[in-house]
Amino acid sequence: QVKKELLRFGHTFLVLSFSGQLISLVTFVLNVNFSFAVGDTVYYYGIYDGRLWGFYSNPNAASFYAVLCFMLMCLCILIQKGNVPRGWKIFYWVSTIVELLVFFLCNSRTSLLVACVFLVLFPLLMTIPEIVRVWGNKKERGARIRRLAAICIIAPLALLGAHEYAIDLLPNFVIQSSTISEQLTESLETYSGGEVSVSSGLEGSGELERSNYGTRFGGRYYLWRAGVEIVKNAPLFGVGNDNVPTYAYRYAARYYTNFGQSVYLPGVTGGLHNLFFQLAAASGLVGMGIFVLFCVLLVIRSIRYYIWMIKNDRVNKVAIVCFCIVVITLLRTMTDTGIVYGLYYLGVIFWTALSGLMYFMDTEYTAGRRPVGAVINDFLFHRSKDRGMPKLKLTAGQKRVRQREKKRKSKPDSMS
């Protein structure tokens, strides 16, 4: 049932993301560029600052949508065990092409990095159990290790090369001026009330070159420096999430910026663009420490579960994909804060994948020590009256697994 729910969730996300990305791609081809304001915030559509701004608020979000869709596509294929209906196969291929094109046009360094990490992490975790299974066969073991090494090296390099090639090639497919684009521009100008223009996004060199805001780390460098100043002045409990932009501007004036007398913090209304800086600034080192502890315990529990799967030859490939999604989303939070603060797509994906992973661990992995959090909970709320020790309550799934293991162990004895 959980796998069916994950399949429905994955397909829903894929269809919605594909629809938005297709609109962005069509806008790029027609070379329509416009801006509109919602309150004090200005949003852009088309090529702006050397990047594609489209259906999803900004290039960083749109590019990571593409990465998420690729991971969710792997999840859906594994859940269906290769028996994918013909219609979905066609959709997967078309969606992959559209998502890749938008991914390249968004020109996001963080999304490119996490995509490369996934192309290494996913094959690695999927192949290690197979290598362990044939460990005694030296020839087969060597062949699998060489194949794995080739995939982990070639796949990221191919993506990096394709990205560099695409950002030079794709601008050539833009229709500089057409009747359709002019009519669309007029209607958008009337609807949005903003500034709309045709053939303004790729004038000049015709290349997708993004601004670095005067530093090789981009505009986030100034946000992170402001975060350090906030933590220095309110180390324990922070200043509160809503107050972070105000304090960031206050402390940013203390260090040099390359934008003259006025302090410029790009994107500060969305936070410090780093989950750990945001946690430390908003909730202090205490709040950040709690979240880091949660992440460490989660990784430890997942590694123990993975080792248990290999030892018992019961590899759950769906759980491996869920773990990869959790890890990649956590890496993405190095430039985002969405899994904790606000209603954001990152939080939906992260907690859904984590819920699936925890379900598989709780129903399958019943051996060894229990999680630290579960032991503390049982000690506080479910203590046995006679021993003063925690009662180990099992879920229905855990009971069924233990019953199957007992039956399997008792079969050789009954035969003897």
Side-chain angles (χ1 to χ4, degrees):
Q1 182 64 29
V2 171
K3 290 183 178 180
K4 290 182 180 179
E5 293 298 328
L6 288 173
L7 181 62
R8 292 193 192 100
F9 174 80
H11 279 162
T12 302
F13 190 92
L14 286 172
V15 172
L16 292 176
S17 176
F18 170 77
S19 303
Q21 304 285 46
L22 185 61
I23 293 173
S24 302
L25 190 61
V26 171
T27 306
F28 166 76
V29 173
L30 295 177
N31 201 18
V32 175
N33 302 272
F34 67 98
S35 62
F36 60 96
V38 178
D40 296 331
T41 306
V42 179
Y43 296 92
Y44 301 93
Y45 222 108
I47 296 297
Y48 174 78
D49 194 22
R51 310 172 72 188
L52 177 62
W53 295 67
F55 188 82
Y56 300 108
S57 65
N58 62 74
N60 296 323
S63 60
F64 194 64
Y65 261 81
V67 178
L68 288 173
C69 285
F70 182 69
M71 295 190 292
L72 289 174
M73 200 177 299
C74 295
L75 179 68
C76 293
I77 292 173
L78 289 174
I79 291 175
Q80 296 173 93
K81 298 180 180 179
N83 300 319
V84 183
R86 185 171 179 272
W88 280 111
K89 284 183 180 179
I90 297 174
F91 173 77
Y92 289 163
W93 279 109
V94 175
S95 175
T96 300
I97 294 172
V98 171
E99 297 285 354
L100 269 177
L101 291 175
V102 174
F103 175 82
F104 294 141
L105 289 169
C106 289
N107 203 5
S108 171
R109 292 168 296 209
T110 304
S111 296
L112 186 62
L113 172 62
V114 297
C116 291
V117 173
F118 177 76
L119 291 176
V120 174
L121 182 65
F122 180 61
L124 184 67
L125 295 180
M126 295 291 283
T127 309
I128 286 178
E130 298 179 3
I131 295 175
V132 173
R133 192 179 302 118
V134 299
W135 192 259
N137 189 333
K138 186 176 180 180
K139 183 178 179 180
E140 183 68 19
R141 180 185 66 197
R144 291 180 183 270
I145 292 176
R146 287 191 295 271
R147 192 182 308 130
L148 174 63
I151 293 174
C152 292
I153 294 174
I154 294 175
L157 291 178
L159 181 64
L160 293 172
H163 177 264
E164 292 299 321
Y165 183 72
I167 59 178
D168 291 333
L169 178 66
L170 289 176
N172 297 323
F173 293 92
V174 172
I175 301 174
Q176 296 297 331
S177 180
S178 67
T179 304
I180 297 176
S181 60
E182 291 174 357
Q183 292 177 351
L184 182 61
T185 298
E186 292 177 0
S187 60
L188 287 172
E189 188 172 18
T190 304
Y191 175 76
S192 65
E195 297 181 359
V196 186
S197 62
V198 178
S199 67
S200 62
L202 290 173
E203 289 180 346
S205 64
E207 297 180 354
L208 298 172
E209 297 180 354
R210 55 179 294 174
S211 172
N212 58 10
Y213 293 96
T215 170
R216 61 178 181 175
F217 298 107
R220 296 187 182 97
Y221 170 75
Y222 303 106
L223 297 174
W224 297 344
R225 287 195 62 177
V228 172
E229 296 295 330
I230 294 175
V231 175
K232 285 181 180 179
N233 289 270
L236 289 180
F237 301 106
V239 298
N241 187 56
D242 293 340
N243 299 323
V244 167
T246 302
Y247 280 87
Y249 271 112
R250 180 182 302 175
Y251 295 128
R254 298 183 180 181
Y255 57 83
Y256 172 76
T257 63
N258 296 323
F259 299 91
Q261 297 180 352
S262 59
V263 175
Y264 180 61
L265 296 176
V268 71
T269 54
L272 299 178
H273 289 237
N274 181 290
L275 180 60
F276 297 96
F277 274 121
Q278 187 76 18
L279 282 168
S283 304
L285 296 178
V286 174
M288 188 186 72
I290 294 173
F291 184 79
V292 170
L293 178 63
F294 164 78
C295 293
V296 171
L297 293 176
L298 171 63
V299 171
I300 293 174
R301 175 73 171 169
S302 301
I303 292 174
R304 286 170 54 197
Y305 173 54
Y306 183 69
I307 295 173
W308 175 85
M309 285 195 299
I310 296 175
K311 286 183 177 179
N312 292 271
D313 196 18
R314 295 175 56 182
V315 177
N316 187 336
K317 295 181 179 180
V318 176
I320 291 177
V321 181
C322 288
F323 176 75
C324 290
I325 294 175
V326 169
V327 172
I328 296 302
T329 308
L330 278 175
L331 285 177
R332 177 68 173 82
T333 60
M334 299 305 293
T335 57
D336 212 312
T337 62
I339 69 172
V340 174
Y341 297 103
L343 298 175
Y344 202 46
Y345 74 98
L346 273 184
V348 175
I349 296 294
F350 177 81
W351 296 110
T352 300
L354 181 58
S355 298
L357 177 62
M358 295 304 297
Y359 169 81
F360 294 127
M361 285 195 289
D362 288 342
T363 55
E364 296 178 2
Y365 179 43
T366 59
R369 295 176 299 172
R370 306 186 71 227
V372 175
V375 173
I376 295 174
N377 177 76
D378 288 338
F379 183 80
L380 294 176
F381 303 107
H382 303 288
R383 299 188 64 179
S384 175
K385 294 180 180 179
D386 51 351
R387 295 186 179 182
M389 294 298 292
K391 289 182 179 179
L392 301 181
K393 290 189 174 183
L394 301 178
T395 63
Q398 289 174 325
K399 291 178 180 178
R400 287 195 296 269
V401 171
R402 288 201 171 183
Q403 288 174 358
R404 287 198 297 266
E405 290 178 352
K406 288 181 180 179
K407 289 180 181 179
R408 188 171 55 185
K409 291 179 181 179
S410 62
K411 281 184 179 180
D413 297 336
S414 60
M415 292 176 62
S416 61

